[in-house]
Amino acid sequence: QKEVEQNSGPLSVPEGAIASLNCTYSDRVSQSFFWYRQYSGKSPELIMSIYSNGDKEDGRFTAQLNKASQYVSLLIRDSQPSDSATYLCAVNIPRGSTLGRLYFGRGTQLTVWP
Amino acid sequence: GAGVSQSPRYKVAKRGQDVALRCDPISGHVSLFWYQQALGQGPEFLTYFQNEAQLDKSGLPSDRFFAERPEGSVSTLKIQRTQQEDSAVYLCASSLIVGANSEQYFGPGTRLTVT
């Protein structure tokens, strides 16, 4: 079992809709959780981080964390065509001397159509 | 301010050649990570530096891969005797602090193609 799993997608939503991206992780000692956006041919860009249970909002983005269910999600409200990208879920699992090592899911490709 | 920079952005190497990939992290960032990203996959961890100390190299796929950060700033990832399976995007990320909550910022990556 991979450390981080994401729904395979692709996910397609109309402009203005809410896009919901989901991620599960396998290791209960995981401490911190990140969402990255990656446009085609570009590198990952950090958009959200979340460390405690509950919701965290930043503009049109809301990250949700449920450690009991080992589940983290990203909601994008009022989706725009410019949000079309691959969204990577990343989880920190502290092992050994590398406290900051991230484990990534395969990513969910999101398309927002006008 | 300036972000993480990497060079070259693209590298084509013939099988068997050695390559060196450079990463210049954000100024003052203590932690530096190298990741490898294959097409359609998420990044996979290669190695980690805290300042000049390489604390984890467990993700390096073979002894042909070598990384250094001698002065705690710029880092170089070297691949000896490149093979076709080394073709990937190599990403460098840096973070200001050490620890689980450190946010990592990625450079643009180096796309390596081995022919």
Side-chain angles (χ1 to χ4, degrees):
Chain A
Q1 181 187 6
K2 277 186 68 78
E3 286 89 351
V4 181
E5 301 273 3
Q6 293 184 248
N7 50 348
S8 56
L11 177 65
S12 181
V13 301
E15 185 173 358
I18 296 175
S20 177
L21 303 158
N22 305 313
C23 173
T24 58
Y25 59 95
S26 61
D27 197 326
R28 289 194 173 274
V29 303
S30 302
Q31 295 184 357
S32 48
F33 308 85
F34 305 89
W35 284 98
Y36 285 84
R37 177 175 63 198
Q38 187 170 30
Y39 292 113
S40 181
K42 302 295 187 183
S43 63
E45 173 192 8
L46 179 65
I47 54 172
M48 288 288 285
S49 57
I50 187 166
Y51 309 115
S52 55
N53 278 328
D55 295 0
K56 179 181 178 183
E57 188 174 313
D58 183 1
R60 296 186 295 111
F61 298 99
T62 299
Q64 300 174 317
L65 175 61
N66 183 327
K67 288 188 177 181
S69 300
Q70 296 177 233
Y71 177 90
V72 59
S73 66
L74 179 71
L75 300 179
I76 307 175
R77 290 182 302 282
D78 188 25
S79 296
Q80 302 296 309
S82 59
D83 295 326
S84 299
T86 295
Y87 289 80
L88 296 164
C89 173
V91 176
N92 169 266
I93 306 173
R95 291 173 177 163
S97 56
T98 307
L99 298 179
R101 172 177 176 171
L102 294 178
Y103 293 81
F104 285 84
R106 291 185 61 179
T108 299
Q109 186 175 344
L110 171 67
T111 300
V112 181
W113 45 275
Chain B
V4 179
S5 60
Q6 292 187 246
S7 62
R9 293 291 310 280
Y10 304 91
K11 177 70 178 177
V12 178
K14 290 190 188 317
R15 190 172 54 186
Q17 280 185 331
D18 298 350
V19 298
L21 313 179
R22 176 190 168 106
C23 171
D24 205 333
I26 296 171
S27 178
H29 277 203
V30 171
S31 296
L32 186 147
F33 300 81
W34 284 98
Y35 293 87
Q36 179 190 61
Q37 187 173 24
L39 193 64
Q41 305 291 321
E44 295 276 349
F45 171 82
L46 293 176
T47 188
Y48 164 62
F49 290 87
Q50 182 178 319
N51 295 308
E52 69 278 3
Q54 187 176 22
L55 298 186
D56 189 344
K57 52 183 180 180
S58 63
L60 296 176
S62 77
D63 59 7
R64 296 185 295 104
F65 287 71
F66 170 77
E68 60 183 5
R69 193 186 185 198
E71 297 178 0
S73 179
V74 171
S75 177
T76 304
L77 176 68
K78 297 178 179 177
I79 309 173
Q80 297 176 324
R81 304 181 304 281
T82 52
Q83 303 295 314
Q84 283 194 314
E85 62 263 27
D86 300 334
S87 295
V89 176
Y90 290 85
L91 296 164
C92 174
S94 70
S95 64
L96 180 61
I97 62 173
V98 174
N101 293 356
S102 58
E103 294 181 340
Q104 295 181 29
Y105 299 92
F106 283 85
T110 295
R111 181 177 298 276
L112 172 65
T113 304
V114 181
T115 61

